[in-house]
């Protein structure tokens, strides 16, 4: 028993009275006890991108990724969110001619940039040659990774044409005929959980005119 002048408190008494107060719902919750400031609306910034050849301006929270800006603000949902961590390539888009993972970059960092998404490559009845090759070779199963695979492969073949060496294997000769090995190396950032890899490589090799796809 703790004796405070004028008040006698036992441990049991404190527990019983605390439980009774809680049961009666008179114990204030932490959230009620502290007055929280009113939620402030997020500050936004104007961002203009040229998306698939058309200027698009958005007022967005500067923390919004390019992927979310495309999907949530411009309703271009062809680019997929697989991992949101730069590990799967499902979100690949072409920015200023280079393929990037749009989940790893903020939209505000690309103000004024030109962006190409899967929607900008082709459309039903007028497919991009790479899209048509994926159809011909069954380069997909569930299709979730497919937009990223196609956008990435289009930019990847441009990298080869420009003589940009593979960042994976420096010994691959970018100026030599494209091989299946080189396609696999250069497309290694695009994961397919259905493992449709052999057909994906066949589709890309078809467009690249590659003979050795083993
Ligand atoms: Fe961007 Fe996976 S969603 S890399
Ligand atoms: Fe299903 Fe690639 S086709 S993840």
């Amino acid at each position: 028993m703790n004796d405070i002048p004028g008040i006698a408190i036992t441990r049991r008494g404190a527990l019983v009275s605390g439980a009774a107060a809680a049961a009666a719902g008179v114990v204030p919750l932490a959230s009620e006890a502290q007055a929280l400031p009113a939620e402030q609306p997020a500050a936004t910034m104007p961002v203009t991108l040229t998306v698939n050849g058309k200027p698009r301006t958005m007022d967005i929270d500067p923390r919004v990724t390019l992927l979310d800006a495309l999907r949530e603000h411009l309703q271009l949902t062809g680019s997929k969110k697989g991992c949101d961590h730069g590990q799967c390539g499902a979100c690949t888009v072409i920015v200023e001619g280079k393929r990037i993972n749009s989940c790893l970059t903020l939209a505000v960092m690309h103000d004024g940039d030109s962006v190409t998404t899967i929607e900008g490559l082709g459309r039903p009845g007028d497919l991009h040659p790479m899209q048509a090759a994926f159809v011909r070779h069954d380069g997909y199963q569930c299709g979730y990774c497919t937009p990223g695979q196609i956008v990435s492969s289009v930019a990847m073949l441009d990298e080869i044409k420009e003589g940009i060496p593979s960042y994976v294997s420096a010994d691959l000769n970018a100026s030599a005929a494209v091989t299946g090995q080189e396609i696999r190396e250069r497309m290694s950032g695009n994961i397919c959980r259905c493992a449709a890899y052999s057909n994906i490589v066949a589709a890309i090799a078809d467009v690249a005119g590659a003979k050795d796809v083993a």
Side-chain angles (χ1 to χ4, degrees):
M1 183 170 77
N2 292 332
D3 285 339
I4 298 175
I7 305 175
I9 303 173
T10 63
R11 183 170 179 274
R12 176 177 169 75
L15 288 173
V16 168
S17 62
V26 296
V27 177
L29 297 172
S31 57
E32 291 168 352
Q34 300 165 1
L36 295 176
E39 197 171 317
Q40 298 293 318
T44 59
M45 288 179 68
V47 176
T48 299
L49 308 171
T50 301
V51 183
N52 301 329
K54 293 190 188 134
R56 308 290 300 265
T57 298
M58 300 162 273
D59 247 336
I60 53 174
D61 185 318
R63 296 167 297 181
V64 169
T65 64
L66 179 59
L67 176 61
D68 284 341
L70 292 169
R71 288 181 54 84
E72 312 295 334
H73 294 263
L74 301 180
Q75 283 69 53
L76 291 169
T77 54
S79 307
K80 301 299 185 224
K81 185 180 283 189
C83 64
D84 213 16
H85 283 89
Q87 294 171 349
C88 72
C91 64
T92 306
V93 299
I94 300 171
V95 176
E96 295 292 302
K98 303 287 174 227
R99 54 182 170 158
I100 65 168
N101 289 332
S102 59
C103 70
L104 284 187
T105 188
L106 300 175
V108 291
M109 295 165 65
H110 298 285
D111 190 33
D113 281 356
S114 174
V115 180
T116 303
T117 68
I118 187 72
E119 291 91 343
L121 289 183
R123 53 195 52 78
D126 183 22
L127 295 180
H128 184 281
M130 190 65 79
Q131 291 171 314
F134 268 68
V135 173
R136 264 197 317 281
H137 291 273
D138 278 337
Y140 45 80
Q141 288 183 37
C142 77
Y144 199 79
C145 72
T146 312
Q149 300 277 5
I150 291 175
V151 171
S152 187
S153 57
V154 167
M156 183 271 290
L157 292 185
D158 285 343
E159 287 165 17
I160 293 178
K161 273 191 215 137
E162 290 166 25
I164 298 173
S166 165
Y167 59 89
V168 180
S169 282
D171 58 346
L172 284 173
N173 182 352
S175 63
V178 181
T179 64
Q181 185 202 357
E182 181 165 13
I183 291 170
R184 286 188 191 87
E185 290 264 4
R186 289 179 181 267
M187 291 295 294
S188 58
N190 288 82
I191 306 302
C192 175
R193 287 196 69 178
C194 299
Y197 293 113
S198 57
N199 292 11
I200 290 170
V201 172
I204 299 170
D206 190 350
V207 175
K211 300 278 184 280
D212 173 18
V213 292

